[in-house]
Amino acid sequence: MSTCATVSRDLDEPISGTAATATTWLLLEQPGPWGANALVSSHLDPFLGRALEAAAQDTGVRVALIRRPGRHADLGSPRLRQVYAAHTVPGRVWLRSATTHDPRQLLDLDFAALGRGDHHTFDRALRGRPHTGGPLALVCTNGKRDRCCALLGRPLAAELAASGVRGAWEVTHLGGHRFSPTLLVLPHGYAYGRAEARAVKEVLHGVQEGRIVVEGCRGSSAWERPGQAAELAVRAATGEDAAEALSVVRTSGGAPRWEVTVAHTDGRHWQVEVAQSHSQPPRPETCGASVLGSPARMDVVAVRELAGTAPAV
């Protein structure tokens, strides 16, 4: 059976610079079935879903629903829901955890503050606290958005959970269906595509040690897509794998060409030239698409270390 994911894989479409962008992720547990736009087409009150979408707009916060892997029969509303918030900008990374009996409490959050990396509003409104477990592995499984997410994502989430990954969750939407199974790892916010369970476990082990695995990585959600590609290119060129060692400090230009400056915590800087082109030949960007598309891709043209930025002693 040909799907958007099999076509993308067969064409060897690059995945760098394709992650969803969000400085902060806000995740609410919502069991049961999900529709294409799960915030307003699930067992969550659609009025609440629309209010959360409106509150998050232009704040850097991305709201998504999560559920434990497994069957998703209608069992009614859960009495207690898990809530997570994660800020992904290097140097200020955190992951907070809370539970709530009433998801309407999320409307008490200051979304602009969350987007800037201030978790105090989360702590006050929901009695949030630092997450003390391992990293979260969020696998997109929403087949109502694209069948690849169900066909490929659900088995991956189930395998992770069955093998003892306590941080495994299904999530409503990470973008890039054609890269299924897609995965987001928190707290650092790096996304992965075409994920397999063994590779995911290596990624999670790396995160526990403060390292980022570059293979299969789509980029960090903290940056816009040119920055995602630039940061991964610097990691590949230097072998740097420390999770919070690199930051995108400047992006100039615009489509189809950018100059991105990537900084290291030791004082080094790189200038990365990133060009946008369109993948050829045309292919289905999602399953069921009525027309073929030529999705944008980020190509790194050059990586140059800037003079006078020697490592600090």
Side-chain angles (χ1 to χ4, degrees):
M1 177 177 62
S2 179
T3 65
C4 66
T6 57
V7 172
S8 176
R9 187 187 293 268
D10 290 345
L11 293 174
D12 198 24
E13 182 181 353
I15 65 175
S16 174
T18 64
T21 57
T23 55
T24 302
W25 291 81
L26 180 62
L27 308 170
L28 171 65
E29 184 178 3
Q30 177 57 62
W34 294 335
N37 183 0
L39 279 178
V40 297
S41 54
S42 67
H43 291 168
L44 184 70
D45 181 349
F47 295 100
L48 174 58
R50 281 190 284 271
L52 290 172
E53 286 181 330
Q57 189 171 0
D58 300 323
T59 65
V61 177
R62 189 178 179 105
V63 184
L65 303 181
I66 58 174
R67 63 191 178 195
R68 285 298 187 183
R71 299 186 64 183
H72 306 298
D74 182 358
L75 300 177
S77 297
R79 280 188 271 183
L80 190 65
R81 302 170 191 250
Q82 179 67 50
V83 186
Y84 294 108
H87 189 64
T88 63
V89 177
R92 293 179 288 149
V93 169
W94 47 256
L95 175 58
R96 312 292 287 186
S97 174
T99 55
T100 183
H101 292 279
D102 183 0
R104 290 174 296 181
Q105 287 185 301
L106 272 64
L107 295 178
D108 295 332
L109 301 176
D110 183 337
F111 281 76
L114 280 176
R116 295 192 301 268
D118 181 353
H119 57 71
H120 292 96
T121 176
F122 184 85
D123 297 346
R124 286 194 302 268
L126 297 168
R127 300 179 67 182
R129 59 202 178 276
H131 174 65
T132 56
L136 303 185
L138 309 172
V139 181
C140 183
T141 62
N142 192 349
K144 294 296 185 181
R145 293 193 69 94
D146 192 283
R147 63 179 175 174
C148 285
C149 297
L151 292 172
L152 301 174
R154 287 181 187 170
L156 173 62
E159 184 175 354
L160 292 175
S163 66
V165 177
R166 298 184 64 183
W169 291 87
E170 298 185 9
V171 68
T172 47
H173 184 45
L174 297 176
H177 318 295
R178 63 192 184 279
F179 304 123
S180 294
T182 59
L183 171 85
L184 178 74
V185 179
L186 294 175
H188 298 293
Y190 283 83
Y192 291 82
R194 302 176 186 139
E196 298 178 354
R198 184 175 64 179
V200 172
K201 291 177 183 177
E202 292 177 3
V203 168
L204 297 177
H205 180 69
V207 171
Q208 290 178 314
E209 296 183 340
R211 297 183 293 104
I212 298 300
V213 173
V214 173
E215 185 176 358
C217 190
R218 300 174 61 193
S220 166
S221 70
W223 317 123
E224 296 295 329
R225 292 184 175 182
Q228 295 173 13
E231 189 233 17
L232 289 178
V234 172
R235 288 190 180 277
T238 63
E240 180 58 75
D241 65 357
E244 297 187 60
L246 300 177
S247 294
V248 174
V249 296
R250 184 172 182 268
T251 301
S252 60
R257 213 167 191 87
W258 297 265
E259 294 284 351
V260 180
T261 303
V262 178
H264 195 289
T265 51
D266 67 11
R268 287 178 292 167
H269 288 73
W270 293 263
Q271 187 173 77
V272 184
E273 188 175 343
V274 180
Q276 177 180 291
S277 60
H278 293 278
S279 298
Q280 297 295 334
R283 77 285 308 277
E285 296 188 55
T286 62
C287 289
S290 58
V291 296
L292 300 181
S294 299
R297 53 183 283 176
M298 296 291 163
D299 295 306
V300 172
V301 177
V303 178
R304 179 170 64 90
E305 185 172 355
L306 300 177
T309 61
V313 177

